[in-house]
Amino acid sequence: MVIAYMLIAFAWWSVLLFKKNEDAFKAKSELLRIVMAAEGEIKTNEDFFNAPAYQTLKNKYKKQEWMIFGEASVFVLSLVIGIYLINRAYHREMKTAENRRNFLLSITHELKSPIASIKLVLETFLKRNLTKEQSEPFTKGALKESERLNSLVNNLLLAARVEEAYQPVLEPLDLNTVIKEVVENLQGKFPDADISFDSEMEKANIQGDHFGWTSVAINLIENAVKYSPAPAKISISLKQTNKNIAIVFADQGLGVPKDERKKIFNQFYRIGSEDTRKTKGTGLGLYIVDQIVKAHKGKITIDDNQPRGTRFNILLPA
């Protein structure tokens, strides 16, 4: 309503300015005609309209009309741009608030779930005298949940680091070895029926952050497992040329819609709503991956895998 009022008011004042300018021109023209007729400079209307004094007066008021039109156009354009920027900022803030709400909901669940599981195991040990064979599944379950909790805390701490001012601790690093270590650890974490790997990796030596690249591999592989039907089939490719190092993590999961591919690297962003989505997560994993890759002067992109799924492509300077 305020914007509509401003536009209507400005249109009205613009019309008034044009009208006043026109009235002033007519009044001065009539005065000039009388003066020139009295001095005998003109005899007919045609003489007056062709007179240099009249042409000068006419050009002056034409310039004033264009000035009014130009200022009106600049004002309207500025108002439209202002409305667009305010509207964009408003929607961005609303989206950020929604993402933070989703993050709080998900992080609450992600923290409570392993804590509750570990608490249940400890209460079982207190109340019952279990044999070694009986207690072993409980112990493994508690260790798995504690590892999940540890991974979540590490992600939160790393997200805080990269948000402030992430400075990678550079050291000679073979990415092949780093990724293989992550794969071996995750194969022990997931049952054999749940995950299988197809790797084609060359040696690729860089100056990089070991902890950071370990986090990149863990997040991308766990992301592939999370969004893939069991058994998850993950392909990893690592190739080095004279100029670049290309790393590809490919899965055969649900895929990422094209309009979401830039958004998923935003902090706290997850596809869908926390009230409806079924997969676990905090919206920090891909944000961390993106920031670590950028800190190493690299770039990460997404495209479709064949016959289905997603490919995360990382390109680094060699």
Side-chain angles (χ1 to χ4, degrees):
M1 288 177 66
V2 172
I3 291 167
Y5 171 78
M6 289 174 65
L7 288 172
I8 292 170
F10 184 75
W12 174 247
W13 283 108
S14 297
V15 170
L16 284 181
L17 279 173
F18 272 105
K19 186 67 176 173
K20 292 294 183 183
N21 188 63
E22 185 180 357
D23 291 343
F25 172 65
K26 287 179 179 179
K28 287 197 175 184
S29 296
E30 188 60 29
L31 179 61
L32 181 63
R33 180 201 298 271
I34 294 170
V35 171
M36 292 180 72
E39 293 178 353
E41 295 181 16
I42 59 171
K43 293 181 179 180
T44 64
N45 288 337
E46 188 175 350
D47 291 340
F48 175 67
F49 292 138
N50 292 328
Y54 173 79
Q55 292 296 328
T56 302
L57 183 67
K58 182 180 177 181
N59 289 336
K60 176 184 176 182
Y61 278 91
K62 280 291 182 185
K63 287 181 180 178
Q64 288 181 353
E65 282 185 357
W66 278 108
M67 184 183 71
I68 294 170
F69 177 77
E71 290 181 354
S73 300
V74 169
F75 178 85
V76 170
L77 183 62
S78 301
L79 186 61
V80 169
I81 292 173
I83 292 167
Y84 167 74
L85 293 175
I86 291 169
N87 189 56
R88 188 179 67 170
Y90 168 76
H91 284 287
R92 186 179 293 169
E93 287 299 318
M94 293 301 294
K95 193 63 182 176
T96 301
E98 182 185 354
N99 289 342
R100 289 183 182 275
R101 169 186 170 273
N102 287 339
F103 171 73
L104 290 174
L105 289 173
S106 64
I107 200 69
T108 301
H109 174 75
E110 291 287 310
L111 288 170
K112 287 178 69 176
S113 181
I115 291 172
S117 298
I118 295 169
K119 181 182 177 184
L120 181 62
V121 169
L122 293 175
E123 287 176 346
T124 303
F125 285 160
L126 282 175
K127 292 179 181 178
R128 297 178 181 273
N129 294 319
L130 302 178
T131 64
K132 183 178 179 181
E133 290 76 14
Q134 290 174 323
S135 64
E136 188 172 351
F138 289 99
T139 305
K140 286 182 177 179
L143 286 172
K144 185 177 179 181
E145 292 298 327
S146 66
E147 178 61 30
R148 177 181 158 194
L149 191 60
N150 182 61
S151 176
L152 176 62
V153 171
N154 284 339
N155 263 358
L156 290 171
L157 292 174
L158 188 52
R161 280 179 58 196
V162 298
E163 185 179 18
E164 292 298 325
Y166 172 67
Q167 294 294 330
V169 180
L170 300 180
E171 57 182 303
L173 202 63
D174 180 10
L175 289 176
N176 187 328
T177 304
V178 172
I179 295 173
K180 281 183 177 178
E181 288 174 355
V182 172
V183 168
E184 288 174 4
N185 290 334
L186 290 178
Q187 280 178 323
K189 179 178 178 180
F190 294 101
D192 294 337
D194 285 349
I195 184 172
S196 63
F197 290 95
D198 178 19
S199 301
E200 185 181 344
M201 297 195 294
E202 304 172 355
K203 291 182 70 67
N205 296 306
I206 65 168
Q207 289 289 320
D209 188 329
H210 187 279
F211 179 73
W213 283 105
T214 300
S215 180
V216 167
I218 290 173
N219 276 302
L220 289 178
I221 293 172
E222 287 190 344
N223 202 66
V225 175
K226 188 188 303 180
Y227 293 101
S228 298
K233 296 180 180 179
I234 300 170
S235 300
I236 304 172
S237 169
L238 174 61
K239 295 180 180 179
Q240 179 169 0
T241 64
N242 291 333
K243 293 183 178 181
N244 298 309
I245 297 171
I247 315 169
V248 178
F249 292 84
D251 63 61
Q252 296 184 14
L254 301 175
V256 180
K258 288 185 179 180
D259 58 342
E260 299 280 358
R261 290 180 183 176
K262 289 184 179 180
K263 300 176 186 176
I264 62 173
F265 293 110
N266 294 340
Q267 193 177 26
F268 308 130
Y269 187 83
R270 297 187 69 208
I271 298 173
S273 167
E274 201 62 39
D275 301 322
T276 58
R277 68 172 64 94
K278 297 178 181 179
T279 55
K280 299 175 182 178
T282 59
L284 291 176
L286 292 180
Y287 167 74
I288 291 171
V289 168
D290 184 49
Q291 295 300 310
I292 291 173
V293 171
K294 285 179 179 177
H296 289 81
K297 299 180 181 178
K299 183 180 181 181
I300 182 167
T301 57
I302 307 174
D303 56 37
D304 294 325
N305 194 26
Q306 299 298 331
R308 64 174 188 174
T310 307
R311 288 164 51 95
F312 286 88
N313 310 293
I314 298 174
L315 194 66
L316 296 170

